């Protein structure tokens, strides 16, 4: 099996072989034809040469496929590691919301404050969370927010029922933005969602809202965000993803007083890589047995 590409091969290939000792994994390029290809994160430029005529199934060891050359898929199966990092990302989102409400790190002191026992801290109980996107990440965020007694309002593309009891459906993006104290962007990056959160969206947003983006930087118009931050429409933006990545030195997002910026690390936790490998291992077993695969990508929809 042609199993890996590029800079991550030395780390992932031994893990794949350890979890699936009866399989043979070979790093691309390899002269022998293989029916399956495993693509590692950030090696998108090498994919066109790796998808040979023999390849019938491609699995991406990441949840996002926005940089994958979808036009090359054809009649092949394409799957991704959807859901592997969702628990870690959801915990990160809750941490950003708690930090906003509890004024962290501002609440910590290194010298006697002007007042002891006095500070106007907020809380999550009774606040409204607006979820833009209700996939694996959005569902895990909602699960944790409901445990904090938040009202959870969600916007999703499909008309099916909400995945968790207690979640409410927003009929439109302006409705969600106008009601939400915390807006969490967790939708996939597609042409349809490019700059979904733009100047008009910020105009519809509740004054003093907290924006969290753990999806892709392309979903938020950063020029419009800067205006919203400067006018106070957005009280804080907690951004784990930006456009472009890596963000160049000197960019205004590094120094804006209302921005909390992290370098696309919300996925990181001790179990994320293990879950990523196990999802692929389960799919490999399914593929060998002719059973339906998990994490299928809708090529037309782009995720």
């Amino acid at each position: 099996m042609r199993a890996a590409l590029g800079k991550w091969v030395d780390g992932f290939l031994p893990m794949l072989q350890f979890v699936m000792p009866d399989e043979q994994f070979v790093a691309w390029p390899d002269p022998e034809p293989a029916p399956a290809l495993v693509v590692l994160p950030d090696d998108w430029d090498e994919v066109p040469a790796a998808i040979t005529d023999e390849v019938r199934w491609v699995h991406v060891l990441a949840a996002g496929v926005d940089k994958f050359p979808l036009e090359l898929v054809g009649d092949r199966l394409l799957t991704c590691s959807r859901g592997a990092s969702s628990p870690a990302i959801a915990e990160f989102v809750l941490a950003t919301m708690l930090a906003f409400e509890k004024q962290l790190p501002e609440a910590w002191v290194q010298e006697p404050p002007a007042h002891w026992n006095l500070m106007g801290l907020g809380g999550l109980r009774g606040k409204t969370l607006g979820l833009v996107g209700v996939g694996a990440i959005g569902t895990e965020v909602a699960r944790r927010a409901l445990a904090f007694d938040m009202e959870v309002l969600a916007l999703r593309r499909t008309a099916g029922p909400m995945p968790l009891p207690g979640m409410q459906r927003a009929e439109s993006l302006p409705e969600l933005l106008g009601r939400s104290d915390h807006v969490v962007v967790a939708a996939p990056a597609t042409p349809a969602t490019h700059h979904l959160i733009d100047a008009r969206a910020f105009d519809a947003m509740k004054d003093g809202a907290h924006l969290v983006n753990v999806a892709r930087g392309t979903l938020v118009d950063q020029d419009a965000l800067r205006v919203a931050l400067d006018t106070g429409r957005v009280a804080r933006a907690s951004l784990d993803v930006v456009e472009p990545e890596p963000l160049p030195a000197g960019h205004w997002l590094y120094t804006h007083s209302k921005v909390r910026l992290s370098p696309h690390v919300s996925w990181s936790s001790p179990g994320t890589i293990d879950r990523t490998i196990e999802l692929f291992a389960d799919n490999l077993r399914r593929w060998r047995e002719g059973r339906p695969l998990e994490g299928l990508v809708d090529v037309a929809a782009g995720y």
Side-chain angles (χ1 to χ4, degrees):
M1 177 178 293
R2 196 175 285 141
L5 305 175
K7 60 185 179 183
W8 301 99
V9 63
D10 291 340
F12 272 99
L13 201 57
M15 287 190 289
L16 291 169
Q17 196 67 72
F18 178 80
V19 173
M20 292 160 278
D22 295 333
E23 297 286 345
Q24 181 182 4
F25 295 97
V26 181
W28 184 88
D30 182 73
E32 295 297 323
L37 174 69
V38 184
V39 178
L40 301 179
D42 298 332
D43 287 318
W44 313 115
D45 292 343
E46 300 184 54
V47 172
I51 300 183
T52 61
D53 291 340
E54 294 81 12
V55 173
R56 306 313 306 157
W57 168 41
V58 182
H59 182 85
V60 179
L61 286 174
V65 294
D66 47 296
K67 295 182 180 180
F68 191 93
L70 296 174
E71 69 278 3
L72 300 180
V73 175
D75 60 355
R76 300 174 179 87
L77 291 172
L78 176 63
T79 56
C80 67
S81 302
R82 187 179 299 133
S85 59
S86 298
I89 295 175
E91 290 179 359
F92 192 93
V93 168
L94 264 291
T96 66
M97 295 197 298
L98 284 166
F100 175 78
E101 295 289 353
K102 300 303 180 184
Q103 298 181 37
L104 300 175
E106 297 88 349
W108 293 326
V109 296
Q110 294 178 307
E111 59 183 29
H115 301 283
W116 205 266
N117 289 338
L118 289 177
M119 195 169 186
L121 302 182
L124 294 181
R125 186 173 187 270
K127 296 293 176 65
T128 298
L129 164 64
L131 280 173
V132 181
V134 193
I137 293 171
T139 300
E140 292 301 320
V141 172
R143 190 187 313 279
R144 288 156 178 78
L146 289 167
F148 276 86
D149 294 326
M150 296 186 75
E151 181 180 1
V152 177
L153 189 63
L155 184 71
R156 70 184 311 180
R157 183 177 67 92
T158 59
M162 286 294 165
L164 298 174
M167 295 179 66
Q168 304 174 41
R169 180 185 298 275
E171 297 302 324
S172 68
L173 180 61
E175 178 200 351
L176 179 141
L177 297 175
R179 292 175 53 187
S180 300
D181 301 291
H182 298 263
V183 176
V184 175
V185 181
T190 69
T193 60
H194 185 266
H195 285 186
L196 179 66
I197 310 299
D198 58 8
R200 288 191 299 176
F202 285 117
D203 286 343
M205 197 170 286
K206 185 176 182 178
D207 280 335
H210 173 214
L211 176 70
V212 182
N213 188 5
V214 288
R216 289 290 186 270
T218 56
L219 274 76
V220 175
D221 182 337
Q222 290 172 180
D223 292 333
L225 171 61
R226 189 173 193 175
V227 173
L229 290 166
D230 290 343
T231 60
R233 178 57 62 103
V234 174
R236 179 180 294 177
S238 298
L239 308 175
D240 188 52
V241 289
V242 290
E243 183 185 17
E245 290 186 13
L247 199 65
H251 197 282
W252 68 269
L253 285 171
Y254 283 120
T255 56
H256 199 288
S257 63
K258 295 181 179 178
V259 173
R260 300 294 183 266
L261 182 64
S262 52
H264 204 148
V265 293
S266 62
W267 62 269
S268 180
S269 79
T272 296
I273 299 300
D274 291 340
R275 284 190 294 270
T276 299
I277 297 298
E278 184 50 45
L279 279 172
F280 169 68
D282 179 61
N283 257 355
L284 181 54
R285 289 188 288 267
R286 290 170 175 267
W287 188 64
R288 293 292 193 200
E289 296 167 6
R291 294 186 287 135
L293 302 184
E294 296 290 338
L296 278 171
V297 174
D298 183 335
V299 175
Y303 64 94

